[in-house]
């Protein structure tokens, strides 16, 4: 006899019939009827109309029947709230039943009746059950508190249930403890501010003891709860770790992962010099490896977590490469994850094996997997320099297979390899070009076009190749269009004589026939550049590109730290913080790792604090850095980069030397008509934009910066005796984003001076007068006039020695005089020079150490706050402050008008007037001058 | 828990609307089509964590940042419990037992917290004979909430015995040019316990760490890399002095498992030549060699060799055993009942290929090997003693068996 017969009643009038049966006097008939009702409910029929009849069956001594009625109640109470109240009496009665199974059943069901009205009737029975003599009832009641809290939090607090629940943590029965912990954690999660879990060394000790005794699930609740605790020092952290490590031997993968979470978190507090630290590292590897023999879904969770762990602490699994080798019958999601971890673990020591594997995978059948494998080969080449050559030859082998998607993927990664190792593997270009026709994916086409443009001078028929793409220009994706435009401009700059027509064609396609603003803007910029200053164009378009960084797809360090706190949970599988996928503010508490111990890490600079590199959400391999020339001009292979590079390069673009150079020098007498629309557009790109933008910044950033940067007193720049009686003294100021040269002209001659004019020589930062020098009236003998000459930074650029040297020519009716002066670098510090924290960390790490310069600023009486404030008003921004062993460490950034970022670490020890300054910058030659600016600002 | 329409479900927290499950199957199909299938799907704010058992999907839904590993391991545990209750877990067994399924779902989890998932204990108070409960006298077995939640009190046997099975599975991955990429041993120690009362057991192994601790490092010992224990084993004790002490559950259970990644000579070595002459035929030559002690014998050896899916008219020649073509799996299975150590055997197979080739690209499945070698462990692990102490003071006999078998044993083909 089976239950399936209950599903088979499909007669009409079924409800009516059931009603009659439910009200039957015969027990057996009643029970059969209830089963039929539940069967209907199970298949999704609405049997809520039978509510009163079913509830009438509730008072029975038949446990099975009672369970079914309760099940029915849980399902329909919400839709029949008024009738649900009928059930209250039975609940109250059942909670006093001599049979603990019935008491527990009642208290369990009660909490699932999510009807606000009846909750208050449930308080008394619940209170009794929380103190029940039977642990089975107590453990059920503990969970019921969490249920009730979910329905009516206030009620639970008012009734004092939370305190009772806290008491249960000390219950003699481990299962009750486990459920109490689970319930409290759940409640605490929705009320992050409440100090519910009030963990202290005593309660932690209780939990650790219960850990040894309760079921596997209870162990997980306890471990997850422990993970939220913040030990007071490294010794406590170590002693908890010691008591948690045995859990790594548990057969349940979830227990193991929760233990790993606790250990990974508390390890943060242990000094690396400690023997125990090393022991712990060694203990973590085997259980993580064993997780890979679990069921595939658990393997998947484990792999996603291992991916985080190898980023956080690569040393744990560095010798375990082989276990991540892909097996033929692994599910695809496992294969893809393993591949990712293999690349993260790749090093010089194991690269040969890894490559052999990757090559094997690249010839499998699953397209996604193969693609990823090919891409992985490229990533290896970039990561392990010694293997680059082997990777390239492997990729070439793969290209020979002519499997369409393999070829395309290979070309995309070879492009990255070219960027990492310029001028090394260009011999393969010919092979790549053979496959031009088979490329149908935008990314591969764009990569190929980039390669052709970049190495145009070495490809005989580069023009033909690019021209062939031009035919279907408008059908290409934006990525390809942008790339084609840039590539042809590069080609033109390299081989101007043969490719004029081509470049004109692409410029007109981009500017006149396209609706895409990015494409049009870029077209205009190139057009303008080419038509005014081909030399500058060459410098801009063919500029040396910043190298791409080794590690890609790394998770940004603060996110990584947060995710480590969520090991085992959905967040660790998605690699996203819970706030990104959990609805509303509920349950979203930002977790962070405990602070590191000061003892071992005091000397570390921010780049090592959370080990990190460029953030994960940045485009593929190309880190977005505040570099001289943004990637805008040369590369489009990732999504557009937002932030500093764009801003920097678009302003840089305005740096068109309208007087110098000339197109003729490059292409003879060809006339390069500037289209009317284009003429208008770039004109606006000059100074007004930069100062206009800065004005905007200042208005929004409040009064703080309105006071402007520090202004040095005027000094004599041109003594009268050298200038036939004209004495010029002056200084530089920066206010609200505009730079000016404040001049004082004194006539020490005996004749009137008129017709003043001023001109600057080319200089390192393109400083130029933004307006003519206006001296309104003739300057009589012994008269002095004060003039403020607005400057911009869009003049021609030439590197000066020293860097901040400015050569000035002043003319008057008597003669032309020359003098040179040094401007303080801080007038070039722009208002939006505050770098984002993550970017700062990534950039700091990314700039090579040899670019770091250290200085000492002596005799500076300021405290940290005052120093930071002073610097800020000169646009040196403090991004973060840390106190390490009594020293204040300020992490600061500033940006120069030409987009160069300078990163600083300023170390201040209270009471010590000597400050230590470390500067990191991609253009290390500015450091000395930045240091001087610091000195000037701090001491005045 | 569903087919295309949910078969049975239980809403533990009431926060996920019951209609949300309707999104599951379409999502799953979509992912399957796109080849991006993963065990975790989401729709809006609802996350679906699923596993598949025969033709059933077991799906857990959540709105929170749930502990994913807990959820999957709970789902597997649920399958285990249902299988022990109903023999098979399939659509029919759920329908036939829906009342008890509901009862079990109620005991297994409360408000999203897994509770009692030990089927032996559950069977003490959730029984299939619902009628017997009618008297209302069923009680919570103390075991449910005991510190020893896996063993009931008052168990009695006439003859007190323990059977210990030491089983080692060899996982092997060899690449096409014959070099071993991965070789590991996963060992399990399974117990069949027929003991009265609440016995205290202690198991002694030739564990290297223990020997080093106790200064017996000269004896032959084995280094266990990662040991996992049944929940009955006192983990902190093991961590402390490597003693494996426990009160066992009654009947069958897996006491512990361990892993060793020490390289051992592959027990059965395969050399193969698979020559494909397009449009005409495939010639296969497989040589198998037993690389274990001469005294040992591998039983039920099965070597499966991949063949193209469009192969036909098979012909075989074997020096021992028999070969069979299994077209639904696209393999030839060469079975050898008894394979002594040190011996070498040969199999040749010949297949015809159609003159018109299929367009489909085929993967290169590896050669798989299955075998069992009794009375032998690769690692050399030994049970040195099993002490059984019960307060009634009975004498109990431990019986030990050793066996080595193939695990995931794959040799890639070129």
């Amino acid at each position: 006899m089976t239950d399936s017969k209950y599903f088979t009643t499909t007669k009409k009038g079924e409800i009516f019939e059931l009603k009659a049966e439910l009200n039957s006097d015969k027990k057996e008939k009643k029970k059969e009827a209830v089963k039929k009702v539940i069967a209907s409910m199970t298949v999704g029929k609405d049997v809520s109309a039978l509510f009163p009849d079913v509830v009438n069956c509730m008072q029975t001594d038949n446990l099975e029947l009672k369970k079914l009625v309760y099940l029915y109640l849980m399902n329909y109470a919400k839709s029949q709230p008024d009738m649900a109240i009928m059930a209250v009496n039975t609940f109250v009665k059942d909670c006093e039943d001599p049979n603990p199974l019935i008491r527990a059943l009642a208290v369990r069901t009660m909490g699932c009746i999510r009807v606000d009205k009846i909750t208050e009737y449930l308080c008394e029975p619940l209170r009794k059950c929380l103190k029940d003599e039977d642990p089975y009832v107590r453990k059920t009641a503990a969970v019921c508190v969490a249920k009730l809290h979910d329905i009516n939090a206030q009620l639970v607090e008012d009734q004092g249930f939370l305190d009772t629940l806290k008491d249960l943590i000390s219950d003699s029965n481990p299962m009750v403890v486990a459920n109490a912990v689970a319930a409290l954690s759940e409640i605490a999660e929705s009320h992050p501010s409440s100090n519910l879990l009030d963990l202290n060394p005593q309660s932690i000790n209780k939990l650790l003891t219960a850990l040894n005794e309760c079921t596997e699930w209870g162990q997980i609740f306890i471990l997850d709860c422990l993970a939220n605790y913040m030990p007071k020092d490294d010794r406590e952290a170590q002693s908890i770790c010691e008591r948690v490590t045995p859990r790594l031997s548990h057969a349940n993968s979830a227990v193991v992962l929760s233990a790993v979470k606790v250990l990974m978190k508390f390890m943060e507090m242990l000094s690396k010099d400690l023997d125990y630290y090393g022991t712990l590292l060694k203990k973590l590897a085997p259980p993580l490896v064993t997780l890979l023999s679990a069921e595939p879904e658990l393997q998947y969770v484990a792999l996603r977590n291992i991916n985080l762990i190898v980023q956080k602490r690569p040393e744990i699994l560095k010798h375990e490469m082989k276990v991540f080798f892909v097996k033929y019958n692994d599910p695809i999601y496992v294969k893809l994850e393993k591949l990712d971890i293999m690349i993260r673990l790749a090093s010089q020591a194991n690269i040969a094996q890894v490559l052999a594997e990757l090559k094997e995978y690249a010839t499998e059948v699953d397209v996604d997997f193969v693609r990823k494998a090919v891409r992985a080969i490229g990533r290896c080449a970039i990561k392990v320099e010694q293997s680059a050559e082997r990777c390239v030859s492997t990729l070439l082998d793969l290209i020979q297979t002519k499997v369409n998607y393999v070829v395309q993927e290979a070309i995309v990664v070879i492009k990255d390899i070219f960027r990492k190792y310029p001028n090394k593997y260009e011999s393969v270009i010919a092979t790549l070009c053979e496959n031009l026709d088979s490329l149908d994916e935008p990314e591969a086409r764009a990569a190929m076009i980039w390669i052709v443009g970049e190495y145009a001078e070495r490809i005989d028929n580069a023009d033909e190749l690019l021209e062939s793409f031009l035919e279907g220009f408008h059908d290409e994706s934006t990525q390809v269009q942008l790339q084609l435009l840039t590539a042809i401009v590069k080609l033109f700059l390299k081989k101007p004589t043969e490719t004029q027509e081509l470049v004109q064609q692409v410029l007109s396609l981009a500017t006149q026939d396209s609706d895409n603003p990015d494409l049009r803007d870029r077209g205009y910029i190139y057009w303008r550049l080419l038509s005014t200053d081909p030399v500058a164009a060459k410098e801009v378009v063919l500029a040396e590109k910043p190298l791409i960084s080794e590690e890609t797809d790394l998770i940004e360090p603060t996110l990584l730290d947060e995710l480590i706190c969520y090991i085992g949970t959905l967040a660790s599988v998605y690699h996203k913080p819970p706030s990104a996928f959990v609805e509303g503010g509920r349950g979203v508490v930002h977790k962070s790792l405990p602070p590191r111990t000061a003892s071992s890490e005091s000397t570390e600079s921010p780049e090592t604090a959370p080990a990190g590199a460029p953030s994960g959400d940045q485009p593929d391999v190309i880190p977005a850095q505040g570099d001289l020339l943004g990637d805008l001009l040369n590369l489009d292979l990732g999504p557009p980069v937002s932030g500093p590079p764009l801003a920097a390069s678009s302003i840089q673009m305005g740096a068109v030397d309208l007087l110098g150079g000339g197109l003729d020098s490059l292409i003879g007498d060809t006339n390069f008509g500037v289209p009317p629309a284009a003429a208008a557009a770039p004109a606006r790109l000059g100074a007004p934009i930069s100062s206009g933008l800065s004005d905007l910044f200042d208005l929004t950033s409040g009064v703080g910066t309105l006071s402007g940067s520090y202004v040095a007193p005027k000094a004599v720049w041109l003594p009268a005796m050298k200038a036939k009686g004209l004495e010029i003294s002056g200084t530089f100021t920066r206010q609200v984003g505009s730079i000016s040269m404040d001049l004082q002209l004194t006539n020490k001659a005996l004749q009137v001076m008129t017709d003043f004019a001023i001109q600057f020589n080319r200089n390192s930062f393109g400083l130029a007068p933004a307006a003519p020098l206006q001296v309104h009236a003739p300057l009589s003998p012994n008269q002095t006039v004060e003039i403020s000459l607005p400057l911009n930074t869009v003049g021609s650029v030439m590197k000066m020695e020293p860097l901040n040297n400015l050569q000035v020519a002043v003319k008057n009716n008597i003669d032309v005089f020359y003098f040179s002066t040094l401007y303080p670098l801080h007038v070039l510090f722009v208002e939006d020079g505050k770098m984002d924290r993550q970017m700062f960390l990534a950039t700091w790490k990314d700039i090579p150490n040899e670019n770091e310069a250290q200085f000492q600023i002596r005799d500076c009486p300021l405290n940290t706050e005052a120093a930071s404030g002073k610097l800020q008003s000169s646009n040196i921004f403090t991004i973060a402050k840390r106190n390490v062993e009594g020293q204040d460490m300020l992490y600061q950034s500033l940006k120069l008008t030409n987009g160069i970022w300078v990163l600083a670490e300023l170390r201040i020890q209270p009471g010590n007037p000597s400050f230590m300054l470390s500067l990191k910058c991609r253009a290390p030659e500015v450091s000395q001058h930045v240091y001087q600016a610091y000195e000037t600002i701090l001491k005045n | 828990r569903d087919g295309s329409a949910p078969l049975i479900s239980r809403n533990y927290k009431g926060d996920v609307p019951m209609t949300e499950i309707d999104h599951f199957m379409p999502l799953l199909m979509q992912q399957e089509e796109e080849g991006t299938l993963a065990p975790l799907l989401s729709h809006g704010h609802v996350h679906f964590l699923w596993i598949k058992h025969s033709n059933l999907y077991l799906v857990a839904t959540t709105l929170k940042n749930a502990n994913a590993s807990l959820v999957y391991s709970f789902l597997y545990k649920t399958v285990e419990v249902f299988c022990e209750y109903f023999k098979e877990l399939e659509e029919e067994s759920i329908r036939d037992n829906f009342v008890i399924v509901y009862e079990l779902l109620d005991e297994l989890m409360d408000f999203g917290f897994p509770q009692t998932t030990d089927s032996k204990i559950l069977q003490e108070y959730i029984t299939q004979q619902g009628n017997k409960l009618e008297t209302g006298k069923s009680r919570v077995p103390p075991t449910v909430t005991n510190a020893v939640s896996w063993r009931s009190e008052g168990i009695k046997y006439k003859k007190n015995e323990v059977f210990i099975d030491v089983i080692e599975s060899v996982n092997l991955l060899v690449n096409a040019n014959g070099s071993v990429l991965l070789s590991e041993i996963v060992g399990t120690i399974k117990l069949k316990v027929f003991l009265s009362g609440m016995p205290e057991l202690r198991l002694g192994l030739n564990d290297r760490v223990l020997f080093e601790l106790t200064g017996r490092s000269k004896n032959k010992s084995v280094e266990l890399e990662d040991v996992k224990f049944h929940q009955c084993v006192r983990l902190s004790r093991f961590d402390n002095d490597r003693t494996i002490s426990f009160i066992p559950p009654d009947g069958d259970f897996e006491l512990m498992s361990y892993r060793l990644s020490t390289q051992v000579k592959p027990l059965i070595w395969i050399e193969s030549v698979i020559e494909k002459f397009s449009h005409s035929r495939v010639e296969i030559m497989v040589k198998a060699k037993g690389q274990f002690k001469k005294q040992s014998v591998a039983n039920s050896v099965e070597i499966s060799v991949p063949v193209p899916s469009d192969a036909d008219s098979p012909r075989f020649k074997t020096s021992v055993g028999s070969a069979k073509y299994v077209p639904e799996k696209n393999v030839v299975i060469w079975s050898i009942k008894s394979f002594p150590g040190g011996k070498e055997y040969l199999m040749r197979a010949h297949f015809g290929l159609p003159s018109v080739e299929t367009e489909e690209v085929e993967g290169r499945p590896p050669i798989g090997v299955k075998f069992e070698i009794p009375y032998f462990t690769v690692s050399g692990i030994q049970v040195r003693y099993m002490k059984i102490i019960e307060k009634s003071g009975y004498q109990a006999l431990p019986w030990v068996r050793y066996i080595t078998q193939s695990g995931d044993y794959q040799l890639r083909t070129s």
Side-chain angles (χ1 to χ4, degrees), chain A residues 776-807:
Chain A
H776 293 293
L779 194 61
S780 320
N782 282 322
Q783 200 192 344
T784 297
V785 66
E786 303 253 1
I787 301 154
S788 182
L789 177 71
L791 305 182
N792 61 31
T793 52
V794 297
S796 344
V797 176
M798 181 170 80
K799 194 171 165 188
M800 297 296 288
E801 192 55 51
L803 207 62
N804 57 341
N805 190 6
L806 182 66
Q807 296 177 336

Side-chain angles (χ1 to χ4, degrees), chain B residues 119-370:
Chain B
S119 64
K120 283 193 200 105
I121 304 306
L122 286 166
Q123 274 164 351
E124 290 183 28
Y125 66 112
I126 311 266
T127 59
Q128 314 216 46
Q129 281 73 45
N131 297 337
K132 282 186 188 162
L133 289 166
E134 229 162 306
T135 47
K137 288 296 167 277
S138 71
R139 291 274 157 177
V140 192
T143 334
V144 177
T145 52
N146 259 355
V148 181
S149 64
W150 51 88
R151 184 179 182 91
S152 320
E153 282 175 41
I155 297 174
K156 272 209 174 68
Y157 285 100
K158 270 187 196 158
K159 197 173 179 187
N160 290 296
E161 288 178 309
V162 181
F163 295 90
I164 305 167
D165 280 344
V166 180
I167 302 158
E168 289 194 339
S169 301
V170 180
N171 295 336
L172 184 77
L173 184 61
V174 178
N175 75 8
N177 56 32
S179 59
V180 177
L181 296 177
L182 178 74
S183 143
E184 63 173 10
I185 303 163
V186 177
T188 53
I189 298 186
K190 291 186 175 165
L191 260 53
K192 210 176 263 188
V193 178
F194 305 110
L195 295 172
S196 313
M198 278 294 196
E200 267 285 339
L201 271 57
R202 233 166 70 202
L203 177 70
L205 298 172
N206 55 340
D207 167 17
R208 179 164 306 159
V209 183
L210 174 71
F211 279 15
E212 277 164 15
L213 277 177
T214 53
R216 274 178 292 178
S217 39
K218 280 184 202 116
N219 296 40
K220 205 177 143 206
S221 60
V222 175
E223 182 152 7
L224 308 173
E225 217 165 292
D226 185 35
V227 193
K228 297 271 178 263
F229 291 106
H230 184 266
Q231 59 168 326
C232 66
V233 177
R234 298 180 182 94
L235 295 180
S236 30
R237 176 102 194 253
F238 178 76
D239 199 54
N240 216 17
D241 60 10
R242 303 289 280 196
T243 304
I244 304 168
S245 76
F246 54 100
I247 297 173
D250 191 39
D252 290 352
F253 77 104
E254 185 178 308
L255 175 72
M256 61 182 278
S257 65
Y258 54 88
R259 189 168 52 79
L260 290 102
S261 53
T262 36
Q263 189 97 311
V264 287
K265 210 174 195 188
L267 295 172
I268 290 186
W269 184 249
I270 303 287
E271 278 168 40
S272 66
V273 182
I274 303 177
E275 271 180 302
K276 189 172 168 183
F277 302 91
S278 280
H279 316 295
S280 80
R281 66 187 197 280
V282 182
E283 306 258 8
I284 298 172
M285 195 277 294
V286 177
K287 192 163 82 181
K289 192 177 172 195
Q291 306 192 115
F292 44 92
K293 276 188 273 179
K294 284 209 174 67
Q295 306 91 291
S296 292
V297 174
N299 293 331
S300 324
V301 177
E302 265 189 27
I303 300 163
S304 71
V305 185
V307 292
S309 60
D310 49 1
D312 54 45
S313 44
R315 272 184 293 149
F316 309 108
K317 216 167 105 189
T318 58
S319 60
V320 71
S322 63
K324 194 173 76 184
Y325 176 41
V326 187
E328 59 274 23
K329 288 183 182 158
N330 297 318
V331 288
V332 181
I333 293 183
W334 176 21
S335 317
I336 304 162
K337 277 217 178 69
S338 144
F339 194 141
K343 285 278 191 297
E344 199 177 293
Y345 298 123
L346 209 68
M347 189 238 348
R348 284 178 194 280
H350 176 106
F351 285 88
L353 284 179
S355 49
V356 189
E357 258 187 281
T358 48
E359 287 289 304
E360 232 170 278
V361 198
E362 286 185 21
R364 284 161 300 142
I367 291 179
V369 184
K370 288 186 190 165

Side-chain angles (χ1 to χ4, degrees), chain A residues 872-888:
Chain A
Q872 168 117 16
S873 51
S874 290
N875 296 336
I876 298 174
F877 300 90
T878 301
I879 294 161
K881 194 183 129 181
R882 282 202 310 161
N883 187 290
V884 179
E885 289 190 330
Q887 294 191 69
D888 282 323

Side-chain angles (χ1 to χ4, degrees), chain A residues 420-446:
Chain A
K420 171 80 182 178
Y421 310 108
N423 305 315
K424 218 167 162 190
Y425 299 109
E426 284 69 26
S427 54
V428 309
I429 291 175
T431 319
L432 303 186
C433 290
E434 286 164 19
N435 293 284
L436 213 57
D437 297 336
S438 64
L439 309 180
D440 52 14
E441 292 163 15
E443 207 184 346
R445 287 172 83 84

Side-chain angles (χ1 to χ4, degrees), chain A residues 3 42 67 99 136 147 173 179 186 217 248-250 252 290 297 322 329 357 363 568 570-571 574, chain B residues 13 47 65-66 68 73 76 96 102-103 107 110 115 117 138 145 181 226 228-229 259 364 410 412:
Chain A
D3 294 343
T42 304
K67 279 184 179 172
N99 185 340
Y136 183 75
K147 292 179 185 167
N173 185 290
N179 277 3
E186 174 101 11
W217 313 112
L248 294 174
S249 301
H250 201 287
N252 187 326
T290 305
E297 292 80 6
K322 284 183 173 182
N329 41 355
E357 281 296 296
T363 55
L570 292 183
Y574 287 128
Chain B
K13 301 192 71 159
H47 308 282
N65 180 31
S73 71
Y76 275 104
D96 286 352
Y102 274 126
E103 279 189 57
E107 286 304 320
D110 193 7
Q115 299 291 309
T117 54
S138 71
T145 52
L181 296 177
D226 185 35
K228 297 271 178 263
F229 291 106
R259 189 168 52 79
R364 284 161 300 142
Q410 299 187 357
R412 291 184 189 154

Side-chain angles (χ1 to χ4, degrees), chain A residues 670-726:
Chain A
T670 316
N671 184 9
F672 236 87
V674 175
R684 274 186 268 114
L685 274 168
I689 278 197
S690 62
S691 58
L693 268 181
S694 329
D695 283 348
L696 209 62
F697 271 112
D698 275 324
L699 286 177
T700 50
S701 65
V703 279
T705 49
L706 280 177
S707 57
S709 309
Y710 164 71
V711 182
K714 289 195 180 81
V716 176
W717 286 342
L718 183 67
M721 49 181 293
K722 281 197 176 173
K724 301 185 177 163
L726 176 65

